[in-house]
Amino acid sequence: MHINSLRKIKNLKNKIVFLRSDFNVPIIEGKIQDDYKISQGLETIEWLVTRGARVIIATHLAKPSGWQKEFSLKPIARRLQLLLKRPVKFLPGVIEDKVKTTIAKMKEGEIVMLENLRFYSGEYDNDLRFAKTLATGVDIYVNDAFAVSHRQQASVVAIKKYLPAYAGFLLEKELRALLKVARPRKPLVVVMGGVKASTKTPLISKLYLQATYILLGGAMANDFLKYQGYPVGRSLVHADQEPVVKKFFSGKKLKKKIMLPSDVLVQNKKGMVRISLVADVKKDECILDIGPQTIAAYADIIKTAQTLVWNGPLGKFEDKPFRHGTIAVATLIAARSSGLAYGLVGGGETVDALKLTKMIQYVDWISTAGGAMLTYLSGEAMPGLQKIIY
Ligand code: 3PG
């Protein structure tokens, strides 16, 4: 894989760089809940600034429709300034004349941050005119936003029609980490949870040949259990997932490498919680976590891995009584990583769960991406990477 790295740019002095970052961080009532994505982007900005570039930082936040004040990037610009220990000027627009005039007046090493790109429909529409305006007055485009590189959006795709495009350091790191999974040291063990099977099954299909085991949990496992004929009571299931799930069965027999929970934690309508074998889930019960027998079986497998990938919680981990399975698996993955196995974890909720173990530092790579990581590993198109990797 050849990456058109930022390192290849000979002279950055006074060059105006449009840096597409992904600072789509969780914000509640104006307060940033987690700044991992911002802190991972600092290295590229430092590199540009210390070489005399004039840096325009552009990102999206959430999925606003039009101008929605609660999705303004002001708090992100403030946090970036704090982390960088350098001034970051927030511009309350993106393509307006006033914004362009300020950019034209920037001095060597200065940083500005644009307002939320998704306040403009042109961004969502991958609109060429919008992209051209973004590129006007700019010398170089740098993509450091792996997490949004699966989207067909103007600042990720169309803009490359007008500017030479390079990869930032975070993008490079993400790609190199994912390569370790695409060409794994074996045994490769994949742990998949979360809600909807269809978002994960392309990846299961793709990694199936390479993987020694694929361990399933979370609500998506309910669809597999149901297809196999187990009672799932009032558990979250998706009727439309049946064709997706079917591919992993021959008749009612699950393909060899895929493991489903053998026991689960269930809660009935009255709030009573108990451990149940998957065959014994009652009509008024809801599956909310994997059970101890499953944890033990998954632990035995995780302990054999040389490469580990994890995406998606194994239960309703945001509720304390149902986080045990997710935390146990997170702990096992962290303990096995950094030496014994190469461990890669991705997805917002998955990383939140991992943090609860206080062992996050042992995992080899925490991807800043959720959907993009799944798309990339599934071998699907990543339009944001075109012209940047080949
Ligand atoms: C993410 O958080 O996964 C990325 O920022 C992409 O966001 P999106 O799913 O809103 O495009």
Side-chain angles (χ1 to χ4, degrees):
M1 177 170 60
H2 291 284
I3 302 177
N4 205 23
S5 168
L6 178 58
R7 282 188 193 87
K8 293 188 183 157
I9 308 174
K10 296 232 165 64
N11 183 9
L12 278 163
K13 206 171 160 70
N14 263 317
K15 293 280 185 317
I16 301 191
V17 176
F18 185 99
L19 174 62
R20 177 51 161 111
S21 301
D22 185 333
F23 294 158
N24 183 23
V25 294
I27 299 184
I28 300 176
E29 285 168 13
K31 284 206 175 74
I32 295 175
Q33 305 297 304
D34 178 77
D35 61 11
Y36 180 68
K37 274 185 159 182
I38 306 176
S39 62
Q40 288 298 306
L42 301 183
E43 192 186 346
T44 298
I45 302 171
E46 275 295 331
W47 175 278
L48 293 169
V49 164
T50 50
R51 279 157 186 79
R54 298 181 271 168
V55 184
I56 307 165
I57 299 174
T59 175
H60 69 283
L61 175 65
K63 290 183 174 72
S65 38
W67 283 73
Q68 286 181 260
K69 216 173 146 211
E70 67 267 37
F71 298 127
S72 167
L73 297 189
K74 227 177 185 173
I76 295 179
R78 244 183 277 130
R79 179 64 61 93
L80 179 63
Q81 173 163 292
L82 211 72
L83 292 171
L84 271 175
K85 301 187 184 76
R86 292 179 184 278
V88 174
K89 187 174 178 153
F90 175 69
L91 305 181
V94 170
I95 48 167
E96 297 73 7
D97 290 347
K98 245 174 135 178
V99 170
K100 290 291 179 189
T101 311
T102 311
I103 289 171
K105 286 186 188 152
M106 281 169 78
K107 302 214 165 56
E108 191 182 313
E110 261 186 29
I111 307 167
V112 297
M113 178 177 255
L114 305 180
E115 186 49 286
N116 194 342
L117 290 160
R118 290 186 179 171
F119 283 171
Y120 301 76
S121 61
E123 171 66 1
Y124 285 112
D125 299 341
N126 196 27
D127 180 69
L128 282 177
R129 266 212 318 225
F130 178 71
K132 194 172 179 185
T133 319
L134 289 180
T136 305
V138 175
D139 300 305
I140 294 164
Y141 171 76
V142 175
N143 178 349
D144 211 18
F146 176 78
V148 75
S149 292
H150 57 320
R151 301 280 184 225
Q152 283 274 4
Q153 297 185 349
S155 67
V156 184
V157 181
I159 193 168
K160 287 182 288 186
K161 193 169 158 44
Y162 306 102
L163 295 171
Y166 294 87
F169 299 131
L170 176 59
L171 183 81
E172 268 193 59
K173 282 188 204 162
E174 292 276 8
L175 289 170
R176 296 199 193 286
L178 291 170
L179 210 59
K180 293 209 161 84
V181 173
R183 293 186 209 144
R185 268 194 297 145
K186 291 182 183 175
L188 164 67
V189 175
V190 180
V191 183
M192 284 278 147
V195 176
K196 215 165 179 191
S198 58
T199 59
K200 314 282 161 111
T201 44
L203 181 55
I204 299 175
S205 303
K206 183 76 182 176
L207 295 182
Y208 188 80
L209 271 185
Q210 301 265 38
T212 309
Y213 284 106
I214 297 172
L215 314 179
L216 302 186
M220 64 170 283
N222 299 344
D223 291 322
F224 283 75
L225 290 168
K226 186 164 184 255
Y227 188 81
Q228 214 170 6
Y230 287 111
V232 292
R234 294 185 305 113
S235 308
L236 183 60
V237 283
H238 302 88
D240 62 335
Q241 299 296 290
E242 207 182 291
V244 172
V245 164
K246 197 178 165 182
K247 286 192 280 183
F248 299 97
F249 288 88
S250 342
K252 289 287 166 193
K253 210 164 173 268
L254 190 59
K255 283 196 182 179
K256 211 168 73 217
K257 297 174 179 177
I258 301 178
M259 304 278 294
L260 281 176
S262 57
D263 65 340
V264 284
L265 223 64
V266 290
Q267 187 177 41
N268 70 11
K269 271 187 177 164
K270 290 183 189 144
M272 300 271 291
V273 177
R274 71 174 186 105
I275 297 163
S276 170
L277 290 175
V278 287
D280 297 335
V281 174
K282 299 199 179 97
K283 270 198 182 124
D284 74 330
E285 288 176 330
C286 202
I287 301 174
L288 293 168
D289 198 2
I290 55 172
Q293 189 176 291
T294 308
I295 295 174
Y298 284 9
D300 285 344
I301 292 171
I302 290 169
K303 282 184 207 154
T304 65
Q306 296 267 335
T307 307
L308 278 160
V309 189
W310 177 33
N311 179 280
L314 300 173
K316 198 166 179 253
F317 92 101
E318 58 277 24
D319 289 350
K320 228 173 173 179
F322 308 113
R323 65 171 54 151
H324 193 67
T326 303
I327 298 295
V329 166
T331 308
L332 285 157
I333 290 175
R336 181 83 194 159
S337 300
S338 289
L340 292 168
Y342 183 81
L344 186 146
V345 174
E349 282 194 319
T350 320
V351 176
D352 288 347
L354 184 61
K355 273 190 207 145
L356 295 172
T357 66
K358 304 209 179 354
M359 289 174 72
I360 194 163
Q361 69 275 22
Y362 299 115
V363 176
D364 295 277
W365 184 247
I366 309 289
S367 179
T368 54
M373 170 178 143
L374 296 175
T375 307
Y376 182 81
L377 286 177
S378 306
E380 290 165 28
M382 295 282 289
L385 302 183
Q386 279 159 16
K387 297 192 186 167
I388 291 178
I389 64 164
Y390 30 104

